[in-house]
Amino acid sequence: MSKSLLTFIQQASKKGEKLLAILLDPDKTTLEEISSISKKIENLNANFIFVGGSYVENGITDAFVEKLKEHTQIPIILFPGDYSQVTNKADALLFLSLISGRNPEYLIEQQIKAVPYLKNSSLEIIPTGYILIDGGTNSSVLKVSKTIPIPQNNIDLVVSTAIAGMYKGKQLIYLEAGSGAKNVVGLKIISEVKKNISIPIIVGGGIRTKEQLNNAYKSGADLVVIGTAFENNTLQKL
Ligand code: 1GP
């Protein structure tokens, strides 16, 4: 894929084409599993592989991405829990700001810490507004970020946060219910955010079935991320 991944996502969004990313956590997948996992991801026709996690051991992301690259051509986008997960071996990086939270560590500190890794890298850096919504579980991102998720019924706050993110120059908005969420991001939230912003929307957290996936797409998600259900082999045929 020679054009930028962001351009690819923007163009798909304009055309109404729906995208899928499978999330792999280097802490939960061994290097030996990567060959078979890559085949599984290709069988799902996923557009991207996201790599990242909340508690990834320092330094292992680099080898993980290198191994993935030996087995698949699917573009790899880093979805890092912290700056130590940045590796030049991936294709792109979601440069996340946790804009639903009020913890400076995840609004700007981690981003500054990432700069030495990014300055001379060829990674495509994609400014992304990350919005944590209550998924009914005490998710890892919630624990690590020490931020309060936006309640599912406060749609106005989610929408205003997404619009503010867009005004701040984010190129993508990620609506996150948290990995392994009991409740996925509400469909009304997705559709209201969609109505109010002109940048593509990523949705993830707790999606396990084809029906949930299609509902997210129909409500306005441009790209859906699935991690836990893929990892646990509980993903119903997509
Ligand atoms: C988590 O949105 C992703 O950051 C995916 O969530 O693991 O629940 O699929 P799941």
Side-chain angles (χ1 to χ4, degrees):
M1 212 177 288
S2 57
K3 69 183 169 199
S4 94
L5 298 185
L6 176 62
T7 307
F8 177 82
I9 296 169
Q10 289 166 333
Q11 288 177 349
S13 170
K14 270 203 195 94
K15 287 186 267 180
E17 287 169 11
K18 301 301 181 180
L19 304 173
L20 175 69
I22 296 297
L23 171 63
L24 298 179
D25 183 338
D27 229 27
K28 296 184 186 152
T29 308
T30 65
L31 292 180
E32 290 68 41
E33 289 171 303
I34 284 183
S35 143
S36 62
I37 277 182
S38 303
K39 281 195 201 91
K40 263 174 65 189
I41 298 177
E42 292 191 351
N43 287 338
L44 288 170
N45 284 325
N47 302 91
F48 306 110
I49 299 174
F50 279 14
V51 173
S54 295
Y55 304 103
V56 179
E57 196 187 314
N58 217 325
I60 66 171
T61 306
D62 194 68
F64 190 86
V65 172
E66 186 170 30
K67 191 90 185 166
L68 262 178
K69 281 278 173 202
E70 287 169 18
H71 291 278
T72 182
Q73 307 267 334
I74 299 176
I76 298 171
I77 302 184
L78 297 174
F79 172 53
D82 65 64
Y83 73 95
S84 73
Q85 294 175 34
V86 173
T87 163
N88 200 19
K89 302 210 166 94
D91 298 288
L93 162 76
L94 295 185
F95 199 62
L96 301 164
S97 302
L98 183 51
I99 55 176
S100 57
R102 300 296 178 266
N103 182 352
E105 185 64 30
Y106 293 94
L107 283 165
I108 186 64
E109 296 286 352
Q110 284 286 326
Q111 292 78 354
I112 293 171
K113 289 173 190 161
V115 169
Y117 299 84
L118 297 175
K119 255 170 56 182
N120 298 314
S121 99
S122 53
L123 277 174
E124 179 185 353
I125 299 171
I126 307 177
T128 304
Y130 192 50
I131 301 180
L132 187 56
I133 292 156
D134 188 7
T137 46
N138 197 8
S139 66
S140 307
V141 52
L142 199 145
K143 283 183 250 172
V144 170
S145 71
K146 300 188 181 67
T147 64
I148 300 163
I150 301 181
Q152 293 263 0
N153 61 8
N154 199 344
I155 297 177
D156 284 350
L157 182 57
V158 179
V159 170
S160 297
T161 306
I163 296 173
M166 179 176 70
Y167 290 163
K168 277 166 71 70
K170 306 302 176 203
Q171 299 294 320
L172 301 173
I173 289 294
Y174 193 138
L175 302 175
E176 169 73 275
S179 194
K182 205 158 47 174
N183 309 318
V184 297
V185 175
L187 301 180
K188 182 89 178 136
I189 293 180
I190 303 174
S191 61
E192 286 301 313
V193 171
K194 185 70 179 177
K195 260 188 241 160
N196 283 281
I197 64 172
S198 54
I199 54 177
I201 301 174
I202 305 177
V203 174
I207 294 179
R208 295 173 179 85
T209 67
K210 184 166 186 163
E211 193 188 359
Q212 287 171 323
L213 176 72
N214 285 336
N215 285 341
Y217 285 149
K218 273 188 235 147
S219 306
D222 297 291
L223 167 58
V224 169
V225 184
I226 299 181
T228 307
F230 177 81
E231 249 169 46
N232 297 345
N233 270 315
T234 50
L235 195 57
Q236 294 176 8
K237 201 164 167 37
L238 298 177

